[in-house]
């Protein structure tokens, strides 16, 4: 059945500013448009655009934000038969501020994503248990996250962003865990572990020692580190002039899963994902910036 994503669907409200405001400061900005987002939806769209068969387990509200939030999921061919349209509920909303250097800050209001609980996931067990890869993030309730892991019979890929408290046994099923340096540090804290230093190889090694079978540690413009029983390897990323980094990490995760599904090893999948993630920074927004199978990706 390909990839099943159990995750969030958001509408993104985007504001552009010269720089991020300091606490208590008001700045003038531009933008205000609504586009499709949510870490789960972003990753599902990224994988589907690259040729993967993708199903989604999630929820939206019955408000005006639902349709723009679903636009790219529909257009990319993601199976939405397990996406609930909840009455009297607000679609998840992300308020995103993008500075001139492309860096962003994001505040997420869960809305209907909070309905993706243990019972809801269990109601759609066939989508989860039949998947070759189950892809999870941190924007749905921990009970739904844990239920998806328990139902999974295929590979479990976890990008615990944001880092929230989830059952230890469920989290350690990740193969791989995909995390940036900040997220990795919080995950180590959650597991009661630590790294010898803040150096990427030390962080990746600490995650392996904590019990993960494999790790992909993303480093933004510095590339990534792949770690598993065979050791640690560096992955290069293309040098690009970023316009907007929103959703680039999600593009990476979706692309990684698309190549794992196609049979690539972790190193080759991560190298491809780095190129897809870099491409996603070249245009504004998350899903509108994603590559498809005809895109000429930047070279490393």
């Amino acid at each position: 059945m390909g990839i099943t994503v159990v995750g969030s669907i958001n509408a993104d409200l985007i504001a552009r500013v010269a720089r991020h405001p300091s606490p208590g400061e008001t700045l003038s900005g531009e933008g205000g448009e609504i586009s499709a987002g949510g870490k789960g939806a972003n990753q599902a769209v990224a994988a589907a655009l690259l040729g993967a068969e993708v199903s989604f387990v999630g929820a939206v509200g019955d408000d005006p934000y639902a349709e723009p939030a679903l636009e790219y999921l529909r257009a990319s061919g993601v199976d939405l038969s397990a996406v609930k349209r909840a009455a009297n509920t607000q679609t998840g909303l992300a308020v995103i501020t993008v500075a001139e250097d492309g860096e962003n800050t994001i505040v997420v209001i869960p809305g209907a994503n909070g309905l993706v609980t243990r019972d809801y996931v269990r109601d759609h067990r066939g989508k989860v248990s039949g998947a070759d890869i189950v892809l999870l993030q941190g924007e749905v309730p921990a009970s739904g996250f844990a239920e998806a892991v328990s139902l999974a019979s295929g590979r479990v890929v976890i990008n615990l962003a944001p880092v929230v408290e989830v059952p230890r046994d469920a989290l350690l099923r990740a193969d791989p865990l995909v995390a940036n340096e900040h997220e990795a540090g919080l995950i180590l804290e959650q597991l009661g572990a630590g790294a010898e230093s803040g150096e990427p190889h030390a962080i990746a090694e600490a995650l392996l020692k904590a019990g993960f079978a494999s790790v992909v540690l993303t480093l933004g413009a510095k590339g990534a580190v792949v770690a598993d029983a065979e050791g640690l390897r560096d992955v290069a990323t293309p040098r690009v002039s970023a316009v907007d980094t929103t959703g680039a990490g999600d593009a990476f995760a979706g692309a990684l899963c698309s190549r794992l599904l196609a049979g690539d090893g972790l190193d080759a999948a991560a190298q491809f994902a780095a190129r897809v993630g870099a491409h996603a920074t070249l245009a504004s927004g998350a899903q509108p910036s994603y590559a498809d199978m005809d895109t000429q990706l930047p070279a490393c």
Side-chain angles (χ1 to χ4, degrees):
M1 283 182 61
I3 300 167
T4 291
V5 178
V6 180
S8 57
I9 303 171
N10 290 337
D12 288 351
L13 172 62
I14 302 173
R16 297 179 186 85
V17 293
R19 58 175 176 81
H20 292 295
S22 301
E25 182 182 15
T26 300
L27 293 179
S28 294
E30 299 177 342
E33 66 269 20
I34 296 292
S35 64
K39 296 194 72 65
N42 290 349
Q43 294 176 17
V45 168
L49 286 173
L50 294 167
E53 182 180 349
V54 183
S55 296
F56 203 96
V57 178
V60 295
D62 61 353
D63 59 343
Y65 288 152
E67 285 307 313
L70 293 170
E71 177 184 0
Y72 286 89
L73 286 165
R74 286 200 177 107
S76 62
V78 174
D79 176 3
L80 301 180
S81 59
V83 172
K84 179 177 184 177
R85 190 77 171 253
N88 304 313
T89 304
Q90 176 184 316
T91 300
L93 179 67
V95 181
I96 303 171
T97 304
V98 183
E100 283 183 353
D101 63 3
E103 288 299 322
N104 63 68
T105 61
I106 305 174
V107 176
V108 176
I109 301 166
N113 297 312
L115 301 175
V116 188
T117 59
R118 176 185 293 108
D119 290 343
Y120 186 76
V121 174
R122 191 175 295 160
D123 287 344
H124 300 283
R125 60 174 62 84
K127 296 287 187 187
V128 180
S129 63
D132 298 298
I133 295 175
V134 175
L135 175 57
L136 296 154
Q137 311 79 32
E139 289 185 338
V140 298
S143 68
F145 177 102
E147 184 66 15
V149 173
S150 71
L151 290 170
S153 58
R155 188 171 196 160
V156 175
V157 178
I158 295 175
N159 172 221
L160 193 65
V163 178
V164 294
E165 289 284 340
V166 295
R168 180 189 185 94
D169 290 347
L171 179 57
L172 290 175
R173 279 278 306 277
D175 183 16
L177 172 75
V178 181
N180 63 30
E181 292 172 277
H182 175 69
E183 293 157 357
L186 294 175
I187 289 167
L188 286 169
E189 285 182 21
Q190 185 176 140
L191 296 174
E196 292 182 3
S197 72
E199 192 271 330
H201 280 208
I203 295 171
E205 202 162 65
L207 289 165
L208 290 181
K209 289 180 180 177
F212 291 103
S214 63
V215 173
V216 178
L217 183 67
T218 60
L219 307 172
K222 295 181 289 184
V225 174
V226 171
D228 57 22
E230 298 178 2
L232 281 67
R233 287 88 66 195
D234 293 316
V235 174
T237 195
R239 299 278 184 178
V240 297
S241 297
V243 172
D244 180 2
T245 60
T246 303
D250 295 332
F252 182 105
L256 180 83
C257 288
S258 76
R259 294 315 306 164
L260 292 174
L261 181 68
D264 282 2
L266 194 54
D267 292 49
Q271 184 62 79
F272 176 77
R275 297 174 66 200
V276 172
H279 176 272
T281 70
L282 298 177
S284 296
Q287 294 170 37
S289 70
Y290 287 174
D292 60 23
M293 295 181 72
D294 296 323
T295 300
Q296 184 68 41
L297 296 172
C300 293

